Amino acid sequence: MQKVDFEIQLPETEIVRNLPIQEEFFWLSQNGNEGKLRLHDYAQIYRIPHLYEYLMEKLQAKSHMILSSLLIDKVTQAGGDVKDLVVLEIGAGSGMVGKALADLGVKSITGIDILPEAARAAKRECPGVYENYYVEDLTNLSSAARNALSSRGFNCMVCASALTSNHIPPLALATAFNLIAPNGSIAFNVQKEGWEEKGEASFVARNPWVAETDIFEIAQKHDYQHRFHMDGRPLYYKATIGTKRANIHQS
């Protein structure tokens, strides 16, 4: 764990019992100041060096390693070379997934996130990992970013822990998906109950292309413990690895 200039205190179990993930919080002490932050207050968290990684380590987060490993296994088992991957990582945050991919041999990774604090954190904490890192809204890309991304020749998209709670909405996900070449690799994860629930709020209902094999062919679905909730309950996610076959039709 990196040397840090802050202290965090996790709340007592009874205070946070059964809180939804978007309401989970902790207390932060730094330079004589104390405050309460939600775990999803990303902009504030990314401003503080190593705070996000510190929190994820405390909560035993595993998605950055598991999703990266599943993707690399899929590529190599199909006879591909990891060094040939040209990866677009959306919701790239402070770079934990990008670093995991780079450690597994990926040479070309482009990140994109809507928060400028995320881009600064990734540059600070993971120097050299990203070939480029765009601060953009995927639902409203600037013409310069759209042209650059469209011409890069991406053959892989990764999205880790950014689809639950609608951090990245369906339109943004579809826009990124359509930037990937046909037969490219796709890897993402969502909260397990969000995938399995019924009705219009489910991930599959909001993103019906995941069940359309002429657009996306699933190679593997893997259930695992993403991290612990603040109250000690395990938080389960579903990783999905597959191959893009065609673009998603957008109205």
Side-chain angles (χ1 to χ4, degrees):
M1 188 178 288
Q2 293 280 344
K3 184 178 179 181
V4 297
D5 66 351
F6 56 79
E7 294 183 356
I8 66 169
Q9 181 181 349
L10 302 183
E12 295 181 7
T13 300
E14 286 305 316
I15 297 175
V16 292
R17 187 176 299 282
N18 296 323
L19 272 184
I21 59 175
Q22 63 269 21
E23 296 299 327
E24 292 183 310
F25 66 91
F26 63 98
W27 284 280
L28 173 72
S29 299
Q30 185 183 38
N31 300 325
N33 298 312
E34 296 186 359
K36 176 181 173 182
L37 286 175
R38 292 181 305 164
L39 200 57
H40 285 185
D41 287 335
Y42 294 117
Q44 295 95 313
I45 290 172
Y46 289 151
R47 291 188 189 112
I48 300 172
H50 304 294
L51 176 56
Y52 185 73
E53 291 76 10
Y54 188 92
L55 284 165
M56 291 301 99
E57 188 167 339
K58 282 280 189 183
L59 297 172
Q60 300 182 38
K62 301 174 182 177
S63 282
H64 59 298
M65 296 301 302
I66 288 176
L67 194 63
S68 300
S69 296
L70 290 172
L71 170 63
I72 298 307
D73 287 347
K74 183 253 186 190
V75 170
T76 56
Q77 288 170 11
D81 189 336
V82 173
K83 294 179 181 178
D84 292 334
L85 288 175
V86 183
V87 176
L88 174 63
E89 184 195 351
I90 64 173
S94 60
M96 289 179 68
V97 176
K99 185 177 186 307
L101 288 168
D103 289 345
L104 291 170
V106 179
K107 301 300 183 184
S108 175
I109 309 170
T110 294
I112 186 167
D113 201 290
I114 200 169
L115 295 175
E117 294 87 353
R120 289 193 286 268
K123 183 177 181 179
R124 182 182 66 227
E125 259 107 78
C126 302
V129 165
Y130 292 97
E131 183 177 286
N132 289 293
Y133 196 118
Y134 294 87
V135 178
E136 290 277 346
D137 180 350
L138 279 162
T139 67
N140 187 28
L141 283 172
S142 67
S143 57
R146 183 178 294 277
N147 290 338
L149 293 169
S150 298
S151 64
R152 183 59 189 88
F154 294 114
N155 58 18
C156 180
M157 186 197 82
V158 177
C159 183
S161 310
L163 297 174
T164 298
S165 302
N166 211 34
H167 291 313
I168 294 180
L171 176 58
L173 180 57
T175 297
F177 184 95
N178 288 351
L179 291 167
I180 310 305
N183 302 316
S185 296
I186 305 293
F188 61 87
N189 64 356
V190 296
Q191 192 173 351
K192 185 173 182 284
E193 65 182 35
W195 180 285
E196 295 177 349
E197 71 176 319
K198 307 299 181 184
E200 295 181 358
S202 74
F203 177 80
V204 177
R206 290 184 292 112
N207 300 274
W209 56 267
V210 300
E212 298 175 16
T213 55
D214 58 332
I215 294 176
F216 179 56
E217 185 177 339
I218 295 175
Q220 182 182 8
K221 289 189 285 189
H222 175 71
D223 295 345
Y224 66 97
Q225 183 177 310
H226 164 58
R227 62 170 173 84
F228 284 102
H229 282 282
M230 286 289 189
D231 63 5
R233 290 173 295 134
L235 174 57
Y236 292 105
Y237 268 48
K238 184 182 293 287
T240 302
I241 313 295
T243 301
K244 173 182 174 176
R245 295 305 185 196
N247 279 354
I248 299 167
H249 301 295
Q250 295 177 285
S251 55

